[in-house]
Amino acid sequence: MQDAFALACRYPDEQNDLLIAKLAKMNNVAPEQILLGDGSSEILKLSAETFTGSNRGNLVSADPTFEAILQHASVTGADVVKIPLTNSFAHDLPRMLTAAKGGLVYICNPNNPTASITPKDELRDFITKTPEQTMILVDEAYFHYADSPEYESVVPLIRDHPNLIVARTFSKIYGMAGLRCGYAVAQKETITKLRSHQSWDSVNVMALVAANASLDDHEQVSNGQRLNREAKSYVVTQLEKIGYHSIPSQANFIMIDVRRPVIPLIQQLKQRDVAVGRLFPALPDHMRVTIGKKSEMETFLNAFRAVTA
Ligand SMILES: Cc1ncc(COP(=O)(O)O)c(C=O)c1O
């Protein structure tokens, strides 16, 4: 990135194309099947703008899920239909399919904020059954953290499903949340439609070189997975010791059942300089906590013990 300061006076086309070539190879698709975004947030926004609206169709999502796309879809004038997660915190795909009316179905897998997954067989079956005029966006922001045999990426299904889009990000395992880079994988025609709603050159050159460098650092992913697994298992074990359970996590955060309204706890933790996740209204007695370094998690645990004592 320091070397890339010399590139900052130019438009970022060359770095853009380099990153697309690497991502295409990694995902076993053609470069025309990749669209870079200013974070995967931009991919979500473009998907809502392209495929939802009062005359294009509704948005169907889980509840709770990552809310950004709900907001973008409502701005387009689309109906937003929220379908509660199942008892095992998976997406209720049969109900989501029934609710879809053209438009777009948003599936966050692993799901934010519950850190839970939707099993691979159910998701495959859903993708096969969904009519082509309904687009499916699978948000795989937390893909690298899922290690359950019940989980799989749906990128390989794109070949046979023109209505499938997958969103990925450099914000999580690659640790680049402040730099802003994400991408979509889909069939070429879908990428062309998404791009027509996008600003030109929307990803900056610093983010592009950082993403390129991250992909060349072959230990980045495995190190991140190991550090996350160790810190997560430490926190979950410590919480269990004091009687607090969390939803089994397949991500880099946990959702703790705090058995009382979470808002006062969030405020008390904030007074101790510990920032945890916001309220998710569908689960008002749960606290979302991102897994950080082990030392940060010790600080969290001390504060959590104090405010719940
Ligand atoms: C499920 C999910 N998708 C997308 C995003 C957006 O990530 P970014 O725009 O940083 O790629 C987030 C951020 O927390 C997320 O949790």
Side-chain angles (χ1 to χ4, degrees):
M1 284 177 69
Q2 285 178 356
D3 291 348
F5 278 114
L7 303 174
C9 58
R10 311 262 180 226
Y11 282 101
D13 304 64
E14 206 175 313
Q15 297 298 324
N16 194 81
D17 294 349
L18 265 176
L19 182 58
I20 287 182
K22 272 185 203 162
L23 290 171
K25 201 165 167 212
M26 200 173 101
N27 287 288
N28 206 13
V29 296
E32 298 74 32
Q33 292 184 258
I34 304 277
L35 182 67
L36 299 180
D38 184 21
S40 61
S41 294
E42 187 179 28
I43 302 300
L44 271 49
K45 184 169 189 278
L46 294 173
S47 301
E49 287 171 354
T50 310
F51 298 112
T52 72
S54 51
N55 51 4
R56 280 185 289 264
N58 62 3
L59 178 85
V60 181
S61 80
D63 188 30
T65 195
F66 185 61
E67 316 95 326
I69 198 165
L70 283 69
Q71 177 205 323
H72 298 309
S74 39
V75 171
T76 70
D79 281 338
V80 173
V81 184
K82 299 201 270 183
I83 307 284
L85 294 172
T86 66
N87 292 342
S88 56
F89 301 100
H91 284 60
D92 191 338
L93 297 173
R95 280 192 64 197
M96 293 178 85
L97 183 56
T98 309
K101 304 267 178 295
L104 180 68
V105 181
Y106 174 68
I107 294 167
C108 188
N109 198 30
N111 188 48
N112 186 5
T114 50
S116 50
I117 56 164
T118 297
K120 59 185 179 187
D121 293 344
E122 290 174 29
L123 191 49
R124 268 173 185 261
D125 187 49
F126 168 83
I127 291 170
T128 309
K129 283 185 183 150
T130 302
E132 267 185 28
Q133 59 273 25
T134 297
M135 298 299 294
I136 305 166
L137 171 60
V138 181
D139 184 340
E140 295 187 353
Y142 300 99
F143 150 81
H144 293 96
Y145 300 104
D147 54 9
S148 160
E150 283 304 305
Y151 179 80
E152 74 180 10
S153 166
V154 296
V155 167
L157 305 189
I158 287 169
R159 216 186 66 154
D160 296 326
H161 295 279
N163 56 343
L164 183 58
I165 307 166
V166 175
R168 291 274 185 89
T169 182
F170 283 90
S171 295
K172 310 297 175 184
I173 199 95
Y174 296 106
M176 283 176 41
L179 284 166
R180 316 304 303 135
C181 188
Y183 65 102
V185 193
Q187 288 195 5
K188 188 178 158 203
E189 295 69 23
T190 305
I191 294 294
T192 306
K193 283 186 199 163
L194 291 170
R195 185 183 289 115
S196 67
H197 288 259
Q198 187 176 36
S199 307
W200 290 11
D201 301 310
S202 77
V203 187
N204 72 82
V205 76
M206 288 294 153
L208 292 168
V209 294
N212 266 311
S214 297
L215 294 182
D216 291 342
D217 176 359
H218 296 292
E219 282 167 16
Q220 171 77 24
V221 169
S222 52
N223 277 340
Q225 287 167 327
R226 180 178 51 78
L227 292 169
N228 181 61
R229 195 166 45 240
E230 288 169 5
K232 183 165 72 174
S233 127
Y234 167 70
V235 183
V236 169
T237 311
Q238 296 301 315
L239 288 169
E240 289 285 339
K241 278 190 187 158
I242 52 168
Y244 287 95
H245 306 298
S246 37
I247 299 173
S249 167
Q250 287 286 299
N252 65 340
F253 55 89
I254 53 174
M255 193 65 156
I256 310 164
D257 181 358
V258 290
R259 305 192 306 257
R260 73 193 85 177
V262 70
I263 287 192
L265 289 182
I266 294 174
Q267 286 159 351
Q268 287 161 32
L269 287 171
K270 196 168 175 203
Q271 281 161 11
R272 291 166 189 263
D273 272 346
V274 172
V276 297
R278 59 191 176 278
L279 165 77
F280 287 84
L283 290 173
D285 293 354
H286 280 71
M287 179 186 286
R288 186 194 181 289
V289 178
T290 294
I291 304 298
K293 293 179 184 148
K294 177 134 185 256
S295 56
E296 292 169 326
M297 300 326 288
E298 278 163 359
T299 306
F300 160 73
L301 284 166
N302 287 335
F304 184 85
R305 286 188 200 101
V307 300
T308 54

